[in-house]
Amino acid sequence: MKVFTEPAQLQKWAEGRRKAGKKIALVPTMGYLHEGHLSLIAAAKRKGADEIVVSIFVNPIQFGPKEDYARYPRDEKADLAKCRASGATAVFFPTPDNMYAKNHSVFIDEKQLGRTLCGARRPGHFRGVCTVVAKLFNLAKPHFAVFGQKDFQQQAIIRRMVRDLNFDVKIVVVPIVREPSGLAMSSRNTYLSAEDRPKALALSRALDELKRDVRREEELDWAPRRTQIVRGLRESGLNVDYVEAVDAETLSPVETLVRGNVVLLAVYCGGTRLIDNAVM
Ligand code: AMP
């Protein structure tokens, strides 16, 4: 497995692999890898990639000034071992300084899908995400890139970026990997205390109940359900950031919840921001 820290090294290698006719997959991550990340690597393998590049970069420009950039969990050694064991063929481990010139001044700003949900709560977040993903596309030269449904709005925005800017990269989206308890895996789960964990289960519980009810009743009037869910999450000890039901493609809010719509939740559990979602 190759390990690159310099953007130019990765780019040169990727160009060589392309010339040799190899199919390159990119798996962008912020590291502290868990089974969710590894399922993206497995999907890349399943889809026939010859080279699987995992990027591990806690991207400073997608964090707000009051967010957890400095304390975001990092474990380079464990991440490398997991990449090796799961079949990655290259890891890209850049530093912020070699990703961003001191006078870096070009950003990608998606103007529609990013106005709601996490985009509304985390100003500049998706601008940082789109910018770094575009850079990673230019460096790793992937034929396809793999993202998780866990960050539902993120994959929608990346797909829009690829369409609108004609990136020649196919986007593959992989289902959410959960702990046996139902909690969606996340690097940030490491922040949760023993008292926080049972509270956090209210997220997946609420989504499971909704899925069951949509299956049974075909249509649900969203407003009363939303009120009920907000109350349930609060009673479980969570601080609600948002509870929204949207169209899966446009991310516009729906009034009647039907199959194929997506329900997205964001809460604070202790000091930790958790997100979860489910396609009905
Ligand atoms: P992160 O390191 O949290 O930025 O995530 C990197 C990629 O892994 C993103 O495409 C995420 O959506 C995906 N991912 C994170 N957690 C999960 C999970 N529990 N299941 C599936 N994909 C995930």
Side-chain angles (χ1 to χ4, degrees):
M1 188 178 74
K2 302 266 180 200
V3 179
F4 301 107
T5 54
E6 292 293 331
Q9 287 173 341
L10 169 63
Q11 202 169 40
K12 188 163 169 236
W13 173 83
E15 184 56 23
R17 300 321 288 153
R18 275 206 166 233
K19 286 220 172 93
K22 301 298 179 192
K23 188 164 174 181
I24 304 176
L26 171 68
V27 179
T29 81
M30 298 204 299
Y32 213 71
L33 301 179
H34 51 67
E35 292 293 329
H37 297 116
L38 303 187
S39 78
L40 308 189
I41 299 175
K45 209 186 289 179
R46 228 170 28 243
K47 298 262 171 202
D50 302 303
E51 301 289 357
I52 303 175
V53 183
V54 178
S55 64
I56 298 179
F57 181 52
V58 185
N59 176 34
I61 70 165
Q62 72 186 63
F63 286 78
K66 291 187 182 142
E67 294 181 357
D68 56 344
Y69 174 69
R71 71 178 192 117
Y72 194 86
R74 292 160 168 91
D75 190 343
E76 204 166 305
K77 223 168 130 194
D79 285 350
L80 280 175
K82 287 176 190 169
C83 286
R84 200 171 275 119
S86 58
T89 61
V91 173
F92 181 45
F93 245 133
T95 62
D97 288 347
N98 58 26
M99 279 297 268
Y100 296 108
K102 279 206 168 50
N103 56 355
H104 178 102
S105 59
V106 180
F107 298 87
I108 294 180
D109 213 353
E110 193 283 330
K111 290 288 195 189
Q112 206 170 70
L113 303 174
R115 283 194 305 220
T116 58
L117 305 164
C118 287
R121 304 307 199 286
R122 305 182 65 190
H125 171 66
F126 289 117
R127 180 178 187 254
V129 169
C130 286
T131 302
V132 81
V133 169
K135 285 166 72 71
L136 292 168
F137 285 175
N138 286 333
L139 294 172
K141 300 177 182 275
H143 295 85
F144 68 95
V146 191
F147 292 85
Q149 188 204 311
K150 165 81 187 346
D151 298 271
F152 191 87
Q153 190 178 18
Q154 170 173 278
Q155 61 77 31
I157 291 174
I158 295 296
R159 288 191 292 118
R160 179 64 62 90
M161 175 181 89
V162 164
R163 187 197 75 178
D164 287 357
L165 299 182
N166 305 93
F167 279 101
D168 193 9
V169 179
K170 192 173 171 299
I171 302 302
V172 173
V173 179
V174 170
I176 302 176
V177 176
R178 298 177 179 282
E179 293 182 358
S181 65
L183 180 65
M185 290 195 182
S186 164
S187 308
R188 288 191 170 98
N189 290 351
T190 188
Y191 298 146
L192 297 174
S193 68
E195 298 88 72
D196 289 338
R197 280 188 162 263
K199 297 180 191 168
L201 300 186
L203 289 172
S204 54
R205 214 162 45 224
L207 292 170
D208 281 345
E209 281 170 18
L210 269 179
K211 275 202 292 199
R212 186 199 60 203
D213 293 350
V214 169
R215 209 176 294 130
R216 192 188 294 160
E217 295 173 35
E218 297 285 342
E219 292 192 353
L220 293 179
D221 192 8
W222 174 241
R225 289 306 292 248
R226 183 180 180 283
T227 307
Q228 200 181 13
I229 292 170
V230 169
R231 193 186 314 129
L233 294 173
R234 286 198 182 126
E235 282 168 5
S236 303
L238 301 169
N239 265 323
V240 176
D241 194 14
Y242 64 72
V243 171
E244 304 285 350
V246 304
D247 176 271
E249 286 302 315
T250 63
L251 306 189
S252 349
V254 296
E255 285 176 13
T256 307
L257 192 61
V258 297
R259 275 167 204 248
N261 288 157
V262 186
V263 174
L264 302 101
L265 312 176
V267 301
Y268 286 91
C269 180
T272 305
R273 189 168 184 279
L274 300 176
I275 57 172
D276 201 349
N277 70 79
V279 181
M280 297 295 114

